[in-house]
């Protein structure tokens, strides 16, 4: 497998889940601004929409998987022994899918226009309030002392929330959310997360060196 990633994006969730399972997909860095890939390939041929993650399957007939929710869920479903996602057809899975969609629509997509400075003052206020509400929901989920968002087991949901923690870049202050801050600290202490950050930094450095050569 080949996994296309971009620096400081939700592709970190896909890396983290792969690490939890012990998979070693070939990582390819896509420079979002320069539009080049670390292996010299055309990312537009992989995903014409030009966003990550994109998981190129070994079986050519399977093609390419995109969308963070789909990529992470697929990997977790293929390796149920790691308990990273509930089994399909269960209520727990329906709840998980609902929460993953919530993160995609109410967190990830609300950060992006703020980070790209595309908003009017009214838009900034709207998106900021939506994000504060969304993060407040996660804060409330953690209020009972659980370690992770759906209990005491790390899941694809936790990886996705961590990988979309772009509040500093979007200017949304969530310092008041103490349960959430403790949760993020637990996530960032996981070896799978530390490895994702290390591997990303290394391939970004290699890509930059090639471009500078």
């Amino acid at each position: 497998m080949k996994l296309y990633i971009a620096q400081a994006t939700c592709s970190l969730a896909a890396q983290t889940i792969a690490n939890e399972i012990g998979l070693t997909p070939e990582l390819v860095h896509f420079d979002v601004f320069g539009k080049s890939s670390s292996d010299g390939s055309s990312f537009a041929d992989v995903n014409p929409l030009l966003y990550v993650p994109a998981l190129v399957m070994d079986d050519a007939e399977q093609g390419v998987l995109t969308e963070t929710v789909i990529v992470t869920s697929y990997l977790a479903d293929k390796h149920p022994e790691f308990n990273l996602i509930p089994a399909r057809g269960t209520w727990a899975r329906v709840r998980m899918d609902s929460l993953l969609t919530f993160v995609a629509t109410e967190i990830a997509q609300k950060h992006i226009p703020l980070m790209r400075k595309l908003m009017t003052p009214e838009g900034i206020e709207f998106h900021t309030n939506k994000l504060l509400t969304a993060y407040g929901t996660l804060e409330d989920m953690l209020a009972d002392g659980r370690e992770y968002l759906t209990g005491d087991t790390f899941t694809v949901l936790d990886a996705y929330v961590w990988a979309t923690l772009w509040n500093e870049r979007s200017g949304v202050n969530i310092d008041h959310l103490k349960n959430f801050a403790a949760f993020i600290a637990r996530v960032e202490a996981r070896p799978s997360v530390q490895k994702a950050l290390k591997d990303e930094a290394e391939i970004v450095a290699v890509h930059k060196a090639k471009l500078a050569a």
Side-chain angles (χ1 to χ4, degrees):
M1 291 187 296
K2 182 180 293 187
L3 179 63
Y4 283 80
I5 67 172
Q7 187 175 14
T9 67
C10 52
S11 57
L12 279 167
Q15 287 182 252
T16 296
I17 295 305
N19 292 341
E20 288 281 338
I21 295 167
L23 302 176
T24 55
E26 177 188 350
L27 297 181
V28 180
H29 176 249
F30 173 62
D31 180 351
V32 174
F33 300 101
K35 308 305 180 189
S36 65
S37 297
S38 59
D39 67 348
S41 62
S42 170
F43 186 53
D45 294 336
V46 177
N47 182 7
L49 296 177
L50 295 178
Y51 59 75
V52 296
L55 183 66
V56 181
M57 308 303 292
D58 291 332
D59 185 342
E61 292 186 2
Q62 291 181 310
V64 180
L65 281 183
T66 60
E67 310 296 339
T68 305
V69 171
I70 299 303
V71 172
T72 55
S73 296
Y74 169 78
L75 294 175
D77 278 330
K78 291 289 287 184
H79 300 273
E81 66 273 21
F82 290 93
N83 298 314
L84 293 165
I85 199 167
R88 290 190 178 277
T90 63
W91 175 253
R93 179 54 175 267
V94 172
R95 175 63 173 158
M96 175 65 71
D97 288 344
S98 175
L99 288 167
L100 288 168
T101 303
F102 167 78
V103 174
T105 58
E106 296 303 311
I107 294 180
Q109 290 303 316
K110 295 299 185 294
H111 275 301
I112 291 172
L114 292 172
M115 291 190 294
R116 294 182 178 175
K117 313 302 181 187
L118 300 175
M119 308 301 298
T120 63
E122 294 79 10
I124 292 172
E125 181 181 10
F126 174 82
H127 279 66
T128 297
N129 287 336
K130 292 286 281 186
L131 281 162
L132 289 172
T133 298
Y135 281 120
T137 298
L138 302 182
E139 173 79 359
D140 291 343
M141 291 172 63
L142 295 160
D144 61 2
R146 64 183 67 182
E147 290 201 4
Y148 298 106
L149 288 166
T150 56
D152 293 327
T153 300
F154 182 79
T155 70
V156 295
L157 176 64
D158 305 301
Y160 192 21
V161 168
W162 167 73
T164 56
L165 189 61
W166 303 324
N167 57 295
E168 290 187 3
R169 289 152 63 190
S170 64
V172 178
N173 188 340
I174 57 172
D175 291 346
H176 59 291
L177 303 179
K178 303 306 180 185
N179 297 326
F180 186 74
F183 155 74
I184 290 296
R186 287 191 291 273
V187 171
E188 292 184 338
R190 296 185 71 85
S192 61
V193 168
Q194 294 176 15
K195 183 177 188 301
L197 291 169
K198 177 176 178 291
D199 291 346
E200 180 194 84
E202 288 178 352
I203 195 167
V204 168
V206 168
H207 191 184
K208 286 182 177 179
K210 286 182 178 179
L211 293 175

